[in-house]
Amino acid sequence: MTEGYLLELDFIKQLKKVVTWFKQQGGQPKLTVQPERNMVGGRPPIRYITKVPYSTCIIKKRSVNSYDLDGDERVGQEYLVMVDGDNPIPVFLTHYEFNGNQKQMIEFVGDNINGEIKLILGGNETDFISLVAKDVTSENITAALEKLPSIGESNMRVSIFPGRWLIEFVGDLAGTTLDLFEVDLHEDAEFQVHVSETMWADSREEAEVHYPIKLIGEYDGDDNAINDAVAAGSIGTAEWFPGIGYVSNLNECREYNGDGTPNL
């Protein structure tokens, strides 16, 4: 007999053994079921808008008449000062609505957000809307927009975030599509306003978010102010880490301060 023939006979014997074993199992293979993974503490990722600015720390420089222990002058040497450290910051939550109502985001860009603006829709404009912080409320913005003929009362929902106004059309305007608002600025305004359509809605919930790396702000010695690494009203996403909480994995670099301090 040839070697190939002997190998074939051996294969047939092994195959018969497998068939015999399979029949002994009742014709059904016994599968080992893996236990379900323990998902205690697991939560879905989130998309957020920051409520406040954030910096892990800032960089300062040694002033004149500053010396080390050896008597060497240290003028201009940099050093870190903790601001928020590793503490989490509060955020607003948003969620995606594929077939939701039309929503428009009005965004302010710049350092000095002040004065007043008008919003225009369908050839009609609002009265002047004050940008003084205490006046920028959902109630005041709603009252101004409801006077427009194309909107009317109880047909929109306004959410106010730092430097951002989210307007969702509801009521009689639910499911409709309106033109984007136009913005009337004073010619000497030191800021810009951008309007865009969005599918992200206000979840009307809040959370706290940690930043996993050191984010360094900048100290403005002239104004004795901190130019934060993360602006208030910036958009980001975060994932849940058991034992820690939500940790940011993405954050917008936004040109907005609104308090007169320079942009980073």
Side-chain angles (χ1 to χ4, degrees):
M1 295 183 181
T2 64
E3 182 178 355
Y5 180 73
L6 292 174
L7 289 174
E8 184 177 348
L9 286 178
D10 185 63
F11 172 76
I12 292 173
K13 290 180 182 179
Q14 295 298 326
L15 182 60
K16 287 181 178 179
K17 289 182 179 180
V18 171
V19 172
T20 301
W21 174 87
F22 185 75
K23 289 180 178 179
Q24 291 174 348
Q25 308 305 311
Q28 296 293 331
K30 292 184 178 180
L31 301 178
T32 302
V33 179
Q34 296 294 329
E36 185 177 350
R37 291 183 62 189
N38 185 357
M39 295 297 291
V40 175
R43 301 185 186 183
I46 60 172
R47 181 183 186 268
Y48 62 81
I49 300 177
T50 56
K51 291 184 66 174
V52 296
Y54 171 86
S55 293
T56 310
C57 54
I58 58 172
I59 295 177
K60 282 191 170 185
K61 291 185 177 181
R62 303 287 182 184
S63 60
V64 294
N65 299 322
S66 178
Y67 301 90
D68 61 23
L69 295 179
D70 296 326
D72 297 324
E73 191 173 25
R74 301 185 298 179
V75 176
Q77 289 184 10
E78 296 181 347
Y79 64 101
L80 295 180
V81 177
M82 282 295 177
V83 179
D84 297 304
D86 292 325
N87 295 318
I89 65 168
V91 298
F92 303 100
L93 300 186
T94 63
H95 63 277
Y96 190 82
E97 288 186 344
F98 182 72
N99 290 317
N101 296 320
Q102 185 191 26
K103 291 170 280 292
Q104 296 188 25
M105 183 71 85
I106 300 174
E107 303 170 286
F108 295 83
V109 180
D111 298 331
N112 295 299
I113 314 297
N114 53 41
E116 52 194 10
I117 64 170
K118 291 182 179 180
L119 294 178
I120 304 168
L121 186 65
N124 298 290
E125 64 180 12
T126 64
D127 296 331
F128 278 113
I129 300 174
S130 171
L131 299 180
V132 176
K134 67 179 181 63
D135 297 331
V136 180
T137 65
S138 58
E139 292 78 13
N140 288 345
I141 307 304
T142 298
L145 293 177
E146 284 183 339
K147 295 179 181 179
L148 295 176
S150 53
I151 294 182
E153 294 185 2
S154 303
N155 290 327
M156 64 179 183
R157 184 181 296 125
V158 178
S159 299
I160 302 297
F161 308 109
R164 281 188 157 108
W165 304 350
L166 178 63
I167 299 172
E168 178 180 359
F169 297 107
V170 298
D172 294 338
L173 297 179
T176 63
T177 301
L178 282 70
D179 293 334
L180 290 179
F181 284 104
E182 295 182 46
V183 183
D184 183 358
L185 293 173
H186 286 296
E187 61 181 14
D188 58 350
E190 298 180 1
F191 59 92
Q192 298 295 326
V193 184
H194 301 160
V195 182
S196 61
E197 193 168 350
T198 179
M199 291 186 178
W200 292 93
D202 182 4
S203 300
R204 302 190 181 278
E205 296 181 28
E206 298 183 11
E208 288 189 333
V209 166
H210 295 261
Y211 288 98
I213 59 175
K214 181 168 57 181
L215 298 177
I216 302 176
E218 186 177 77
Y219 180 70
D220 186 343
D222 295 333
D223 296 328
N224 194 30
I226 296 173
N227 305 323
D228 282 288
V230 175
S234 59
I235 295 172
T237 59
E239 295 186 66
W240 181 262
F241 281 69
I244 300 176
Y246 282 111
V247 177
S248 176
N249 55 14
L250 179 70
N251 201 97
E252 173 188 23
C253 181
R254 187 181 181 208
E255 293 186 359
Y256 167 80
N257 286 318
D259 58 3
T261 60
N263 293 321
L264 288 180

